[in-house]
Amino acid sequence: MPGLQAKSYRIASIPGDGIGIEVVESTIEVLKQLSLTLGTFNIEFTHIPWGTVYYKEHGRCVDPDVLNILRRFDATLFGAVGAPDVPDYISLWGLLLAIRGPLQLYANVRPDIDWLLIRENSEGEYAGQGGRSHLGQPWETATEVSIFTRVGIERIMRFAFDAARKRPKKFLTVVTKSKSKPMTVRMVNNPTSLDTIVGTNLHMDILSDLAAALAGSIGVAPSSNLDPTRKNPSLFEPVHGSAFDITGKGVANPVATFLSATEMLDWLGEKDASKKLITCGENVCEAGILTPDLHGTASTKDVVQAVCDEIVDLYERPPRVIRHPTKRF
Ligand code: NAI
Ligand code: MG
């Protein structure tokens, strides 16, 4: 049992759609095992059913009080949003972008093998500034305006410099329009010449997908949406989407969400637990217990079981996880 000194964390769990539900459920199971075995922290999840199913019922993807609801938690663990029968602009703008911008989660951080990718997450090309004129006319016109403010740029650059300084190479690359093409080529041809990379919302959206593909599968790419001022709770999620093509087949790779959870633990101050979970995940991957996206034959459940077994083995304590009911929201 967790000791008296164990800190307790309240986490909002938003599994969302498709495999988001599968990978978040898997991650909660692993985190509960970690908490039980280590005994150094308690973690309580509150399930929040926002996403496209909620949209079909309520006409919106989230509760109107979304920001105040999330502010009651220490962090959010997010799965993915998107469904084949709901346009992406509704699911993306209605859920994720409704949280990231208003909560000022301005630093999107993606550790990827040897790189640290930092994406400006609150303005730029995704600022939501645009509209239509001459509706219905043949000359109907649409605009989408990119917003770059001094405050927005300065704070992400400061964050990026701080992050780069903490790494052994202490080397930061800034992606700009004129440098985005040679930079992209360098990621493929000369990857070791890069370390920390920072860029705008759109540039880094694209480049981080490339990084995930270079790492072997998007199924292992984690991300953090941070409010570095810590005024608002940060949100942690896998880079991938809801993957309709494999939903319900039991083969979704949960590793990206496990790694997102390690970032969450680290952010909350549970650095030792975070490192231990990374080690357990690495051991499982090295043992060849891999889902089909990594050319393995394991199911999602096999990977969860193997990571839970690793956690138990590392500390040689026998109790296997009891499935705690997750609180309903
Ligand atoms: P996707 O990331 O869902 O899938 C791309 C490909 O990667 C698919 O073949 C899928 O099977 C595979 N894949 C993704 N995650 C995997 C995992 N954990 N394990 C094994 N294979 C995995 O991207 P796609 O297909 O472009 O988008 C599907 C939906 O997800 C759309 O509605 C899209 O808008 C949404 N989406 C949501 C995101 C989010 O919630 N942050 C991010 C990206 C897409
Ligand atoms: Mg995601």
Side-chain angles (χ1 to χ4, degrees), residues 23-44:
V23 293
V24 167
E25 186 185 88
S26 303
T27 303
I28 290 176
E29 189 169 342
V30 162
L31 286 175
K32 283 181 173 169
Q33 182 66 67
L34 191 70
S35 155
L36 188 75
T37 306
L38 293 185
T40 50
F41 69 98
N42 295 304
I43 194 157
E44 178 193 280

Side-chain angles (χ1 to χ4, degrees), residues 309-321:
D309 290 347
E310 277 292 324
I311 294 169
V312 171
D313 281 358
L314 268 178
Y315 304 101
E316 295 172 350
R317 294 212 200 146
R320 171 74 183 100
V321 78

Side-chain angles (χ1 to χ4, degrees), residues 18 22 26 85 101-102 112-113 115 127 141 144 157 164 180 191 215 233 241 246 250 253 255 257 277 298 302:
E22 301 165 30
S26 303
D85 54 352
D112 229 300
I113 308 191
W115 299 323
T141 305
E144 187 68 51
M157 285 302 164
S180 62
I246 57 164
N253 192 341
V255 171
T257 318
L277 181 53
D302 294 336

Side-chain angles (χ1 to χ4, degrees), residues 64-185:
D65 203 24
V66 47
L67 303 178
N68 285 325
I69 290 170
L70 292 182
R71 284 189 182 114
R72 292 181 208 145
F73 296 93
D74 296 306
T76 300
L77 183 65
F78 187 85
V81 64
D85 54 352
V86 176
D88 277 352
Y89 72 87
I90 290 179
S91 53
L92 192 63
W93 282 100
L95 180 43
L96 255 186
L97 298 182
I99 295 172
R100 282 178 182 165
L103 280 190
Q104 295 290 302
L105 307 182
Y106 66 82
N108 185 297
V109 183
R110 301 182 179 192
D112 229 300
I113 308 191
D114 294 330
W115 299 323
L116 186 71
L117 298 124
I118 299 173
R119 166 181 174 187
E120 202 295 320
N121 213 25
S122 68
E123 51 178 38
E125 301 83 352
Y126 296 72
Q129 293 275 346
R132 293 175 185 201
S133 297
H134 303 303
L135 282 180
Q137 304 297 338
W139 58 93
E140 181 172 336
T141 305
T143 56
E144 187 68 51
V145 181
S146 299
I147 302 292
F148 298 96
T149 64
R150 182 179 284 271
V151 168
I153 292 169
E154 184 176 333
R155 67 186 182 180
I156 195 68
M157 285 302 164
R158 285 194 183 282
F159 180 87
F161 272 99
D162 281 350
R165 221 179 264 131
K166 286 184 193 137
R167 290 166 62 86
K169 281 195 183 171
K170 303 194 192 310
F171 183 58
L172 177 67
T173 303
V174 180
V175 184
T176 59
K177 166 71 185 73
S178 58
K179 290 283 184 293
S180 62
K181 273 183 249 162
M183 157 80 203
T184 311
V185 174

